[in-house]
């Protein structure tokens, strides 16, 4: 997985490409922790994300908890496979998902 990080003032954007799984979830967690200070808007662009595992869901939940305290988190461009994972796990009710 590759993570393209863009920071614009208090807005942080992660563009994820590939697979967010047991191997790559720590990479996203590290990037998030390194960049989250002073951020009130976190945007995750999943347009190029092909796969999401439970390890990836854990990192998303952790990020959502942090962002609930300091702003908002939005996930954009979710494909059908990942949307189904969100719906089956109940994450669709917790996360803000935009087209």
């Amino acid at each position: 997985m590759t993570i393209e990080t863009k920071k614009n003032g208090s807005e942080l954007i992660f563009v994820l490409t590939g697979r967010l799984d047991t191997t790559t979830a720590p990479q996203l967690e590290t990037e998030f922790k390194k960049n989250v200070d002073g951020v009130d808007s976190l945007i995750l662009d999943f347009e190029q994300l092909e796969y999401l595992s439970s390890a990836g869901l854990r990192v998303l939940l952790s990020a959502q908890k942090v962002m609930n305290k300091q702003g908002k988190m939005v996930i954009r461009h979710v494909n059908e496979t990942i949307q189904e994972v969100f719906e089956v796990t109940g994450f669709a009710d917790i996360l803000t998902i935009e087209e």
Side-chain angles (χ1 to χ4, degrees):
M1 179 181 74
T2 59
I3 303 171
E4 181 184 343
T5 304
K6 302 174 186 175
K7 201 162 187 181
N8 182 13
S10 63
E11 181 180 74
L12 177 63
I13 302 170
F14 288 140
V15 180
L16 307 182
T17 303
R19 298 170 55 90
L20 181 51
D21 56 23
T22 307
T23 308
T24 60
Q27 180 186 353
L28 178 58
E29 191 168 33
T30 300
E31 276 300 306
F32 176 72
K33 287 179 179 175
K34 187 169 74 176
N35 290 287
V36 72
D37 285 344
V39 170
D40 62 19
S41 176
L42 174 64
I43 299 170
L44 298 163
D45 188 329
F46 279 15
E47 187 168 11
Q48 301 298 318
L49 193 68
E50 301 161 4
Y51 176 79
L52 177 64
S53 76
S54 59
L57 288 171
R58 183 188 57 76
V59 174
L60 293 179
L61 183 60
S62 175
Q64 182 67 65
K65 286 180 179 177
V66 170
M67 292 311 299
N68 282 345
K69 294 176 185 159
Q70 65 187 63
K72 65 176 183 165
M73 180 174 106
V74 176
I75 300 174
R76 293 188 177 151
H77 308 122
V78 177
N79 68 31
E80 287 180 24
T81 305
I82 293 173
Q83 181 64 37
E84 190 173 322
V85 170
F86 286 154
E87 288 172 9
V88 168
T89 58
F91 274 64
D93 298 331
I94 299 168
L95 304 172
T96 303
I97 303 166
E98 296 179 351
E99 298 259 335

